[in-house]
Amino acid sequence: MYLGLDEPVRECQYNQICTRNSLPMETLGHKKKKIPRRKWQVFPGRNRFYCNGRVMMARQTGVFYLTLVLIMVTSGLFFAFDCPFLASNLTPAIPVIGGVLFFFVLGMLFRASFSDPGVLPRATPDEAADLERQIGAANGPSGPGYRPPPRTREVVINGQTVKLKYCFTCKIFRPPRASHCSLCDNCVERFDHHCPWVGNCVGKRNYRFFYLFILSLSFLTVFIFAFVITHVILRSNRTGFLSALKDSPASVLEVLVCFFSVWSIVGLSGFHTYLISSNQTTNEDIKGLWSNKRAKDNYNPYSYGNIMTNCCAALCGPLPPSLIDRRGFIQSDTTQPVSHSNGSSMYASTQLHTHMAAATPLLHSNSVMIGGGGPPFPGKSSLVVPCASLAPSQPSLPSMPGLSCAGDMLTLRDPDTHCHHHHFASPEETPSPSGPMPLTLPCAAHMTHGGHIHPAQLYDPASQDSLHEDSVRGLVKLSSV
Amino acid sequence: MERAGTHGEMTLTGEKRDWTHSLQDMRQQAAIAAKVFIQRDYTNGTVCQFQTKFPSELETRIDKQQFEETVRTLNNLYAEAEKLGGSSYLEGCLACLTAYTIFLCMETHYEKVLKKIAKFIQEQNDKIYAPRGLLLTDPIERGLRVVEVTIFEDRSLGR
């Protein structure tokens, strides 16, 4: 039942990825012979997951390892070379306190690095289509080549007008204080900044860990710096400065590292203490969103009014759970955005069976569209909902310049067989991902042909060869009629 | 060529039989006519609240009061989850002191309320929405962005 590329049927080429089972609509998970896949494996952002989804980090983690090495080496040298002297000559409390600080620092670092910063999951195709429809209705009809202005919504929060921006990648209106991290390709709630030292974004869920990390690290740095200096001074009182340095050579390295770290880390802690007390994010502060210089009556609408409440809210408030459910299993009846290694993603709408079910009883109505998924490149949306109430004549792709519904639409040759293998294009695997993409662009004009449903498609023959390995379901693609 | 053609035809028919059969199964269950999305209401800041405005697509299916009551209760539950107060501060401080290892044994307050919300939605679906051909999706499954209301096709029409 597999119709491959090398089987041209009459003049048509069927490009179909069908599984061996009778149900052609399969998820990626089912293709792997019933091993259920977890959601992190198909996560569309540019994150890396370890320990079967328990650990989540950014793509570039080199600097994180540097941080780790610096902390461990400096602390290790301190405990090995300076602590014995200090413990015997001053008090054994010094290594104990140092040890507690060291473990706290590492604990907070790991917590900040490995947890989900507050990533907002991308919109399901139905939601995206609904939003597109609303925005389309608000903006008015536009031609296919016209890209509408950036979409914003205004909302008044505590007396201040805040603009909510539409994220083209995630297809949602970002909540206030959320921002899209270009490095991780995710929208993050209460986005502070992307920290390469920590190897992750800093957002709503891990901000307190980040803050406690830099705070405790500044204590640790100051602690080590102070006691190494004390050690060297005490030694040089006995044996002279140069021989003291010779006896504990590691001290020089530690002092150097700590000296340079103190300025940056303590400075950063101070800065974040200020941010916490005024309930701002780094992002907001840098943009000067709530500063008085912008407007006379500009104030931060999120602040609770007093410093104590702001601090408590940021550090001791309830910890929201992760919204992305990375270790959950992929349900076959939900829509999952599918990711590929190069970071771009493809929507595999596994709701086709519900679409078809919705479509079949609604055969008599004119306004049926079958959802097709192209890859959601930033700025390009391609998802449609099987909804009888949707306006049939609008392909819901206002941001697809150059692809016109009228131009290259091909209908299926055989109107009687309304059940066809459906194939999803995954153009990001094509050699020229920036070129026009094969997409499902159903048009009602073609759809109502003979009262049957014809998923009509825009087809790019050049990319055909590289597509057949990648799709989740089969849609019939015709290169010529 | 012809052989390939007939092979294709045969396969299509075989597939068609299987597909129609499974579609009929689907149809017997329920057909999704539309989905309505209740968006978030940000007028109180970043707390999780949903708009209580009654969507026009539901006018024929459910009472406006009923629906608004559901959304209002949901909003109250989410407000309870995110409430700042003595107990949440205590939990936060305790967690910090134990280096957050305490959450290996116990649930956070937020998670407890989320469970309550899931139960509430289940209950609402069973009692009120399913008999009217509607289905509420727990917002947590949509990243707390929307409350998705699935409208099923009315079985009394067309078959």
Side-chain angles (χ1 to χ4, degrees):
Chain A
M1 300 212 254
Y2 175 82
L3 301 176
L5 279 173
D6 42 333
E7 285 191 348
V9 178
R10 289 167 247 156
E11 256 87 28
C12 311
Q13 284 187 328
Y14 283 81
N15 191 9
Q16 178 244 357
I17 306 304
C18 185
T19 61
R20 289 99 192 143
N21 307 352
S22 60
L23 264 180
M25 305 75 74
E26 302 278 354
T27 64
L28 209 54
H30 286 211
K31 272 187 90 171
K32 304 241 167 187
K33 292 188 180 75
K34 287 177 218 156
I35 299 171
R37 293 191 93 197
R38 292 189 190 258
K39 290 181 188 166
W40 66 265
Q41 292 171 298
V42 296
F43 186 70
R46 253 184 264 139
N47 289 91
R48 288 207 189 163
F49 296 89
Y50 304 103
C51 295
N52 201 8
R54 291 182 181 90
V55 168
M56 175 176 177
M57 295 181 78
R59 182 159 282 213
Q60 305 292 339
T61 50
V63 188
F64 165 72
Y65 293 119
L66 175 68
T67 310
L68 206 55
V69 160
L70 275 176
I71 294 175
M72 295 189 98
V73 164
T74 313
S75 308
L77 289 175
F78 176 72
F79 289 122
F81 290 97
D82 300 87
C83 278
F85 182 88
L86 290 165
S88 51
N89 290 2
L90 284 179
T91 161
I94 294 174
V96 170
I97 296 174
V100 167
L101 265 178
F102 171 70
F103 283 116
F104 191 75
V105 164
L106 280 187
M108 291 298 111
L109 173 63
F110 290 148
R111 207 56 215 242
S113 302
F114 297 161
S115 54
D116 169 16
V119 172
L120 286 168
R122 298 194 182 182
T124 56
D126 298 331
E127 279 177 65
D130 186 67
L131 272 181
E132 292 268 352
R133 202 167 37 90
Q134 283 178 31
I135 294 163
N139 280 350
S142 53
Y146 168 69
R147 191 197 165 103
R151 304 153 176 185
T152 53
R153 262 186 198 164
E154 294 211 340
V155 67
V156 178
I157 301 176
N158 275 342
Q160 285 279 326
T161 310
V162 175
K163 266 209 175 93
L164 303 184
K165 293 204 185 129
Y166 181 76
C167 181
F168 286 99
T169 314
C170 305
K171 301 215 182 53
I172 55 172
F173 275 98
R174 279 185 219 127
R177 314 193 92 178
S179 190
H180 190 93
C181 176
S182 48
L183 290 164
C184 302
D185 203 25
N186 291 318
C187 272
V188 178
E189 274 191 291
R190 202 189 182 281
F191 180 73
D192 197 83
H193 66 286
H194 182 99
C195 187
W197 299 95
V198 149
N200 205 355
C201 287
V202 177
K204 180 158 128 182
R205 294 188 76 245
N206 65 350
Y207 184 60
R208 68 190 68 184
F209 306 126
F210 174 75
Y211 177 72
L212 290 172
F213 165 63
I214 55 174
L215 194 65
S216 52
L217 186 62
S218 45
F219 283 130
L220 182 69
T221 322
V222 168
F223 184 86
I224 292 180
F225 187 68
F227 282 106
V228 167
I229 301 270
T230 311
H231 173 213
V232 170
I233 289 175
L234 288 177
R235 258 195 208 263
S236 32
N237 283 346
R238 298 181 194 180
T239 59
F241 185 65
L242 281 174
S243 61
L245 285 183
K246 221 163 18 115
D247 288 336
S248 71
S251 306
V252 180
L253 178 65
E254 289 168 53
V255 165
L256 271 175
V257 169
C258 289
F259 181 74
F260 290 114
S261 308
V262 158
W263 297 113
S264 48
I265 305 278
V266 172
L268 195 61
S269 306
F271 175 61
H272 277 279
T273 310
Y274 158 70
L275 287 181
I276 284 184
S277 59
S278 60
N279 202 334
Q280 287 186 81
T281 63
T282 307
N283 206 17
E284 288 165 355
D285 186 72
I286 285 178
K287 289 183 187 166
L289 279 182
W290 312 122
S291 94
N292 288 335
K293 300 186 187 90
R294 265 206 185 197
K296 213 85 202 291
D297 55 352
N298 215 14
Y299 60 90
N300 183 2
Y302 310 110
S303 172
Y304 293 97
N306 69 59
I307 292 178
M308 267 314 288
T309 320
N310 284 341
C311 291
C312 287
L315 300 176
C316 310
L319 189 64
S322 173
L323 295 174
I324 56 177
D325 187 25
R326 16 191 225 279
R327 284 178 45 83
F329 290 104
I330 299 172
Q331 306 290 325
S332 57
D333 60 345
T334 55
T335 305
Q336 292 291 331
V338 177
S339 70
H340 291 265
S341 56
N342 63 0
S344 49
S345 63
M346 168 180 95
Y347 272 96
S349 176
T350 59
Q351 261 176 328
L352 184 65
H353 60 281
T354 52
H355 296 192
M356 287 302 289
T360 321
L362 300 172
L363 265 177
H364 307 291
S365 76
N366 289 345
S367 52
V368 174
M369 290 209 268
I370 293 183
F377 278 119
K380 298 185 175 151
S381 64
S382 56
L383 302 168
V384 174
V385 184
C387 181
S389 61
L390 287 178
S393 54
Q394 287 265 11
S396 60
L397 300 160
S399 57
M400 288 291 311
L403 287 173
S404 66
C405 199
D408 302 317
M409 300 308 284
L410 303 166
T411 56
L412 290 171
R413 171 175 259 196
D414 187 357
D416 292 331
T417 54
H418 61 270
C419 311
H420 292 282
H421 303 294
H422 293 269
H423 171 73
F424 262 73
S426 65
E428 69 268 20
E429 302 298 326
T430 68
S432 57
S434 57
M437 299 184 284
L439 278 181
T440 310
L441 283 180
C443 261
H446 299 276
M447 302 286 275
T448 56
H449 216 65
H452 293 274
I453 297 139
H454 297 278
Q457 282 188 306
L458 188 65
Y459 186 64
D460 178 13
S463 54
Q464 179 189 3
D465 291 339
S466 51
L467 294 174
H468 69 282
E469 272 129 19
D470 309 306
S471 304
V472 175
R473 301 193 316 254
L475 273 170
V476 176
K477 287 164 66 164
L478 304 175
S479 59
S480 62
V481 177
Chain B
M1 266 316 225
E2 273 170 350
R3 219 181 57 197
T6 46
H7 174 72
E9 261 178 354
M10 265 167 51
T11 312
L12 268 183
T13 326
E15 282 288 316
K16 175 189 169 181
R17 197 179 50 240
D18 287 338
W19 200 319
T20 345
H21 183 68
S22 60
L23 277 180
Q24 277 166 353
D25 286 339
M26 290 297 161
R27 213 191 305 181
Q28 261 140 34
Q29 293 169 26
I32 296 176
K35 287 193 184 189
V36 186
F37 297 98
I38 315 295
Q39 300 285 340
R40 282 272 293 268
D41 175 20
Y42 293 116
T43 51
N44 286 330
T46 52
V47 265
C48 183
Q49 300 279 284
F50 292 97
Q51 290 177 359
T52 48
K53 187 171 84 83
F54 187 61
S56 51
E57 293 92 335
L58 296 178
E59 261 164 23
T60 53
R61 298 288 192 120
I62 191 167
D63 191 29
K64 178 176 169 175
Q65 281 294 95
Q66 187 82 69
F67 180 78
E68 284 181 2
E69 185 58 39
T70 308
V71 180
R72 225 172 275 133
T73 314
L74 256 186
N75 284 343
N76 288 339
L77 284 169
Y78 279 114
E80 185 196 323
E82 298 184 25
K83 194 167 66 98
L84 295 172
S87 61
S88 69
Y89 290 150
L90 196 63
E91 190 189 41
C93 289
L94 187 67
C96 182
L97 289 174
T98 62
Y100 296 92
T101 52
I102 197 169
F103 292 137
L104 294 169
C105 334
M106 74 176 221
E107 277 184 328
T108 64
H109 174 66
Y110 209 115
E111 283 167 354
K112 286 193 193 118
V113 181
L114 283 180
K115 284 207 173 136
K116 227 161 104 178
I117 290 173
K119 223 168 59 158
F120 169 72
I121 290 198
Q122 177 83 24
E123 194 194 324
Q124 291 281 297
N125 274 335
D126 291 336
K127 286 202 206 134
I128 300 171
Y129 290 88
R132 291 173 169 78
L134 299 170
L135 185 72
L136 291 178
T137 307
D138 195 340
I140 195 74
E141 290 174 33
R142 297 288 177 264
L144 292 182
R145 291 184 305 262
V146 286
V147 177
E148 188 178 300
V149 185
T150 314
I151 303 174
F152 288 97
E153 204 197 37
D154 200 338
R155 294 271 198 91
S156 56
L157 312 171
R159 165 113 11 176

